[in-house]
Amino acid sequence: MPDGVQIDTDGVNDFGRGMQQQTGDGFADIAGRGADLHRQGVGFGSRMTPSDIVTEAKARYAQALAHAEANLRAYQQAAGILSTVAEQIARDFASADLSSAQAQQQVESMINSAMVEANRALGLQDGAV
């Protein structure tokens, strides 16, 4: 096996396209269903005499829903970033000599940059996974 990066550009491109489709369709569908389920707000406790405990529970539940929806949007953004770089790698290196040190560094740099950007979208620090 030769030294260097071995890339099945067709496979990487298929992966990128599939992830891009999930980014547009899959995450949007899930987020839409979640929004539909919670559009009316927090319903539990509405037929009870208001109490501090119920009011606090409703506030925490509403906050959890907001965080879940924000996470879905962040995951959608991160998936879009990673799918874009996968498609770019497949396109850029379809006919390149991937055994060269320069090509290896370029692929590594593209992946690292995408991971940093995806981690930021997820609210993680640069080195976190």
Side-chain angles (χ1 to χ4, degrees):
M1 181 155 116
D3 291 338
V5 177
Q6 299 295 312
I7 296 179
D8 172 4
T9 55
D10 290 336
V12 171
N13 196 34
D14 288 345
F15 169 79
R17 278 188 297 211
M19 187 178 261
Q20 192 67 266
Q21 183 177 2
Q22 284 300 313
T23 299
D25 298 339
F27 282 112
D29 182 49
I30 292 167
R33 281 188 275 160
D36 288 345
L37 286 171
H38 302 107
R39 192 171 315 283
Q40 74 281 356
V42 179
F44 75 86
S46 60
R47 295 185 181 164
M48 300 174 66
T49 303
S51 71
D52 291 343
I53 293 171
V54 172
T55 302
E56 185 176 333
K58 288 178 75 163
R60 286 185 179 194
Y61 184 70
Q63 187 178 33
L65 289 176
H67 286 292
E69 290 176 8
N71 284 338
L72 277 173
R73 287 189 299 274
Y75 287 136
Q76 182 179 18
Q77 184 180 3
I81 291 165
L82 297 175
S83 67
T84 298
V85 80
E87 290 175 327
Q88 184 179 353
I89 287 170
R91 200 172 38 252
D92 291 354
F93 295 98
S95 60
D97 174 13
L98 293 177
S99 64
S100 75
Q102 180 183 8
Q104 289 179 54
Q105 288 173 347
Q106 191 173 356
V107 169
E108 198 172 302
S109 175
M110 291 169 74
I111 292 170
N112 287 339
S113 294
M115 290 303 299
V116 166
E117 193 175 343
N119 282 336
R120 278 194 197 120
L122 295 172
L124 302 173
Q125 293 185 348
D126 291 347
V129 176

